[in-house]
Amino acid sequence: MKTLGYQISFNAKRVFLRNFSYLFFTILMPIGFYILFTKVLISGTTAQELVFAKQYLGSMIVYSVLINAMFGLGQIMQNDRQHKLLSALSLTPKGTKYYYISNLDDAELGSDHR
């Protein structure tokens, strides 16, 4: 379990420190839209504003998950095959199993590999 934890931690750090487009499209853009449409461009009663804010928050979560899915594990696996990384991973003591499971966990937590 320690190996999987280290791999998840490594992948999460790599995503946030190296991939600005991921950070922008899956985290910063939904936050920016949420603030723009719930704090700046809003009109109506307080109750209507609260209902809209809750509904729009759900929409931004779905948007973020869909963007992450489009740039997610499938793209990672394709890129790994193109760069012949599968051969190198199969020679490691743990093999490809922990590598791809950690990528799945990162995708579920809102992280991406590339």
Side-chain angles (χ1 to χ4, degrees), residues 22-70:
Y22 165 78
L23 181 66
F24 179 76
F25 285 110
T26 61
I27 296 174
L28 297 177
M29 194 169 169
I31 290 171
F33 278 146
Y34 182 77
I35 291 170
L36 179 69
F37 289 114
T38 60
K39 303 295 182 201
V40 178
L41 302 174
I42 190 83
S43 64
T45 65
T46 306
Q48 291 172 334
E49 290 176 7
L50 288 174
V51 169
F52 177 74
K54 287 179 185 176
Q55 291 174 344
Y56 199 71
L57 179 61
S59 298
M60 288 296 98
I61 291 170
V62 169
Y63 168 81
S64 182
V65 168
L66 287 175
I67 290 294
N68 189 26
M70 285 192 283

